[in-house]
Every structure is written in C-alpha cells, then in structure tokens.
Amino acid sequence: MEAFDGRGVRPIGRRPGDLAVRLSAYALVAAFWFAFSWRPWLAGFSCVLTVAILTVVSRLKRGVIGEPLVFSDFALLRQVPRHPELYYTRPLTDPRMAGPILASVLGVVLWYWVEPAALPHEPSVAVLAVIALPLTLWTLARMAGQGVLSRWLAARFPAPALEADIARYGLPATILAYAARWLSLRAPVEQAPRAIVPSGAPDRVVVVVQLESFVDPVRLGGPALPVMAALRARATRYGRLRVPAHGAYTMRTEHAVLTGRDAEDLGFGRFDPYLTGGGAEPTSLAGLARRSGYATLFVHPFHRDFFNRAAVVTRLGFDRLVMEEDFADAPRVGPYVGDIALAERVLVEIRARTGPLFLFCVTMENHGPWRPGRLPGLDDPHAQYLHHLAHTGEAVDRLIAGLDDRVAREGISATLCVFGDHAPALPNCRPGFGGTATDYAVLHFGGVQPVPARVDLTADALGRLLRAEVTPDRGRPSPTVP
C-alpha cells in the first residue's frame, strides 16, 4: 500500500525503482549538455545548474498560482521575450537580465577554453561520436512515445498527479515523463463538419464575455460592485464558477467553456489544451454556432500570437477575429486596452450584424501583474486590481444596456454570459482561494424572464449549458446543473 503524509502527498521516493527514475532523468539532462560540449565537468555542472533553475522557477510558480512547473510551460518560453510583463520578468535588454545572461555566456566560453573536450583523437571516430550521442538521445525520445519504454512510462505515470510524482521521482523526471506521455497519447482530433444551416438560426445574438481575473470584489475584502446586484437580479443563472487554474492559464478555462470538455478528459493535455488540440475540437461552441447558421466573431484586444490564439480560435470555428490591431486607437488603462472601450466595440459589432451572431469576447485590462508604476498615483496591487475591476463592472453594465436597447428596437432575443477566467494572483488571493472559483452569470433578453437562480458550475458545465443557446431548437434551460 502506498503511504501518504497528512496532506495527501506521497513522501520522497526512496525505493530502488523510484531512485532509478530520478537518477535516469539527471543522466539524460547531463547527456544532453554533454552532447553540446563533450566536456564532462561542464556537462555535470550544467546538469546541476539546470536542476537548480527548474527547482527555483517551480517554487516561484507554485507560490503565485499553486502549481509546479509542467512540461507545457516550455512551449510558452518563446512568448517570454515578447511579453515579459505577463510573466513577472524583465525584458532581455534590462541590465538585471542582460547582465547575468552575458556573464553566463562568458563563463561557458571560459570553461570551454579551460576544460579539454573528451572526444577521441581519431577524427573519424570523433565525428561518429558527435553524431551518435544526439542520435541516441533522439531515439530514446522516440521510444518514450511507443513500444516497451512507452508502456513502462504508462505503468509509472498512468495519469497526471503532479505533486505525488514530483515528490516520488523529482521535478526533471516528472517533466520529461509527462512530456513523453503527452506525446504518446496525443492524437489528432477530427473536426466536425462545418456545414452551415442558414435557416436554422433565429435572429438572435449570443454574447459570451470572458472577464480577465474577475471575482466578486467583496470576496477579496473590496467594496461591492454595483453590477453584481444587477446580475443577481436579472440572471437566469448565476453563481460560482469552478475553474481549472488560479492566477494564470486563461486558456484552460477558455477551452473548457468553448468545448464543454472536463479537464479530466484531457489527460496530460489538461495543462495546455490549446497546445494539444490546436483548436481542432468537434465539440466547439463556435463550431456548433456556425453550423447552426450564426456568424461567429472572436474579440480580444491583444496579440494574435499569444497562446497562438488567432490560429486556434479560427480552427475552433470563428469566422472573423477582432484583435489588437483593431484597437490601435482605443484608450488603454494601464498597459492594456480598457474594458469599457472593449465593451463599446462589442456593441458596435452587435449593431452592425445582419443576422444571428455568436460573439466571444476576452477582456484584457485587469491582466496581471499588478505592481508599482502600472497606474499613476496608485501603487498598491490590491487597489490597482479594484480600480480595473470597477471598469469591468461598468463595461458589463454597458453591454446589458446595449442589449436591452437592441432587443427593444429590433424585437430580437439575446443572451449574455459573463464569467471570470481565474482569480487574480494577488497577495491577498493565494492559490486555492475560494475553491479555485470565480463568478459567472447568464442573462436572457426578450420574452418571459424566469426567476433568477443561483447554480454553482464548473467551467466545462457552463460550456455545455451554453450549447443550448446556439441550437435552432433552443429551449431556455431549467436551473439545474447540466
């Protein structure tokens, strides 16, 4: 029987098999660096330094969002130099970043000069060795995804259990094993047919707004947000929304709502669903809306390349994208386009529509980090967050008023759903806050309004609930968990 400590975490593994996995990972890291230098002491030092850096970064990450480093984080590395402000780091041009990097490069060059290479003296043998070692590492990587080695990894890592696996096998082994398991289980997802049925959709508007870092401020000790009372008074459903992450990983909640898929169903792909499927999702809400005759529009005032969003949401079924370049003249609040300006653009798109419309909007104003210099005269992170949150509330108020006006003028019906992607990574909002729950509401415009009901949901359940809003034979859902 496996033994666990009082927190439910498996103690550090000391069994021969566990130690063998741990040491094998260290050997692979050392071999990787050795293949570049053919200097054993440099490779050994590089291995120790790599493990130390991974451990420090993992602990920092755990302190902010409650999760250790995972393999999919390395796919995001290319975004760090482009968007350092989003990753709690500094630009490479900053002396505090450039200095240590330059010193490290000079140190490696000096080490290359001091330590002789361990290559054979015979040139032909040396060339063969230089080719053979990388080829061996590449072969091991391929074998990890199939065959005996793949089955062995599957027996030890049947499903994601980050804390237990890191304690038992160590961080490097867990990262490598999870990457291999992800590759072995990753299969292409067939996209559902995109045939459009123009006559199936009524003349209606469905607007879904993903609010950055949104929770009811009262839960954080802040003042009541007026829009929360309006949402509870008018919403068909409202309540807490259990989301897959804290403080980051917007794409996890976004994917859950847009596909209705539970993270448990994604296996090792749960850490970055967009990396796994790339948007090829037959259960996509946008795809369903498109097949039902809706025009599909994605609005997000940030870079197209972030999370590879433009390519992913296009595959999810969005016909048109309105992104950062379309907000060149929009006012910014702090470093990002303001939520009120974003709401006004959404209303412009609604007014310009010529038929049924499904619009998914992702806000950006309240994205972290919140630190001194972000807002003039307001340096406290909590105060900055609440300042932005007031704008979020006003933006939602304007969307409600705008949809009321459209329904009254045109006699159409409409749905508005707003939800928080995750809680903010603030000092007074640590990992695990509120059961990792944000807030959501679904409002209907036109027709008989039902009595508001509080129903707490998960993000994927909200996605399944919204499917009824874009089907031709839509019936208003009853206030029960789907």
Side-chain angles (χ1 to χ4, degrees):
M1 232 180 126
E2 295 290 343
F4 290 81
D5 66 14
R7 296 170 297 170
V9 177
R10 185 181 290 119
I12 294 175
R14 293 185 174 86
R15 297 177 179 178
D18 297 347
L19 290 174
V21 174
R22 186 183 293 259
L23 294 175
S24 295
Y26 296 152
L28 286 172
V29 173
F32 173 81
W33 291 119
F34 186 68
F36 284 98
S37 66
W38 284 89
R39 287 159 172 80
W41 287 104
L42 177 57
F45 175 76
S46 299
C47 174
V48 172
L49 184 61
T50 299
V51 174
I53 292 173
L54 289 177
T55 301
V56 170
V57 172
S58 185
R59 286 181 178 176
L60 290 173
K61 180 189 169 191
R62 191 197 303 269
V64 175
I65 64 176
E67 180 180 287
L69 203 61
V70 293
F71 73 93
S72 60
D73 291 330
F74 292 89
L76 303 176
L77 281 178
R78 64 184 179 86
Q79 296 182 163
V80 177
R82 299 177 186 177
H83 313 289
E85 73 281 359
L86 298 183
Y87 288 94
Y88 296 82
T89 186
R90 303 178 187 279
L92 294 178
T93 54
D94 189 301
R96 287 165 288 189
M97 289 292 290
I101 292 174
L102 182 60
S104 300
V105 172
L106 292 175
V108 170
V109 171
L110 179 62
W111 201 317
Y112 261 78
W113 180 70
V114 171
E115 183 183 0
L119 281 168
H121 294 293
E122 173 62 38
S124 59
V125 178
V127 171
L128 183 62
V130 169
I131 295 173
L133 182 54
L135 184 61
T136 300
L137 293 174
W138 179 83
T139 302
L140 281 173
R142 295 285 295 177
M143 290 173 59
Q146 57 188 351
V148 176
L149 183 54
S150 176
R151 291 192 293 272
W152 182 83
L153 284 172
R156 287 191 172 269
F157 300 91
L162 268 176
E163 300 294 350
D165 287 336
I166 289 174
R168 184 172 181 178
Y169 303 113
L171 181 62
T174 302
I175 289 173
L176 292 173
Y178 276 35
R181 292 285 289 132
W182 173 76
L183 286 170
S184 68
L185 295 174
R186 187 185 181 194
V189 181
E190 292 187 6
Q191 183 66 286
R194 289 189 167 186
I196 300 176
V197 187
S199 61
D203 188 11
R204 58 182 276 96
V205 174
V206 178
V207 179
V208 181
V209 184
Q210 181 172 279
L211 303 172
E212 175 62 44
S213 303
F214 179 83
V215 295
D216 184 349
V218 173
R219 297 169 61 195
L220 294 174
L225 200 63
V227 75
M228 296 303 297
L231 292 176
R232 292 176 184 128
R234 294 193 55 172
T236 305
R237 292 190 186 181
Y238 68 90
R240 300 286 170 82
L241 187 71
R242 184 71 178 266
V243 294
H246 172 89
Y249 292 121
T250 295
M251 84 290 271
R252 296 182 185 176
T253 304
E254 191 173 303
H255 179 271
V257 172
L258 280 171
T259 66
R261 296 182 65 186
D262 186 355
E264 295 296 322
D265 297 334
L266 302 176
F268 291 88
R270 73 182 62 179
F271 302 110
D272 188 343
Y274 282 175
L275 182 65
T276 300
E281 296 279 1
T283 59
S284 164
L285 189 61
L288 175 62
R290 184 179 182 183
R291 294 190 298 275
S292 297
Y294 285 74
T296 53
L297 173 62
F298 183 87
V299 182
H300 179 46
F302 200 59
H303 298 280
R304 287 175 167 266
D305 67 334
F306 199 68
F307 294 153
N308 196 29
R309 233 195 204 113
V312 169
V313 299
T314 298
R315 294 191 196 103
L316 282 169
F318 287 96
D319 295 310
R320 190 162 69 90
L321 279 58
V322 174
M323 303 194 79
E324 187 181 47
E325 62 274 14
D326 299 293
F327 290 89
D329 299 325
R332 293 177 177 257
V333 183
Y336 310 115
V337 172
D339 285 353
I340 295 173
L342 179 60
E344 292 298 336
R345 178 56 187 262
V346 168
L347 291 174
V348 167
E349 296 292 342
I350 291 172
R351 288 193 290 268
R353 73 179 231 296
T354 57
L357 173 68
F358 172 71
L359 187 154
F360 192 93
C361 173
V362 179
T363 72
M364 194 67 192
E365 178 182 335
N366 215 353
H367 200 294
W370 303 269
R371 52 190 174 192
R374 178 182 176 121
L375 294 173
L378 198 62
D379 285 344
D380 177 66
H382 188 230
Q384 290 179 349
Y385 173 77
L386 293 177
H387 179 83
H388 292 304
L389 203 62
H391 295 163
T392 303
E394 185 176 343
V396 174
D397 269 330
R398 293 195 183 194
L399 289 174
I400 294 172
L403 287 171
D404 275 333
D405 179 67
R406 288 295 97 190
V407 169
R409 285 173 178 268
E410 302 175 20
I412 63 171
S413 60
T415 299
L416 172 65
C417 171
V418 295
F419 67 94
D421 59 348
H422 53 70
L426 288 168
N428 64 332
C429 187
R430 308 312 296 173
F433 163 81
T436 318
T438 62
D439 294 271
Y440 86 96
V442 179
L443 293 81
H444 291 98
F445 302 79
V448 178
Q449 297 299 310
V451 177
R454 172 171 176 170
V455 182
D456 295 342
L457 296 174
T458 59
D460 56 287
L462 177 61
R464 294 191 294 273
L465 172 68
L466 290 173
R467 296 177 71 81
E469 302 295 332
V470 294
T471 52
D473 55 348
R474 184 187 72 89
R476 184 145 310 166
S478 59
T480 57
V481 178

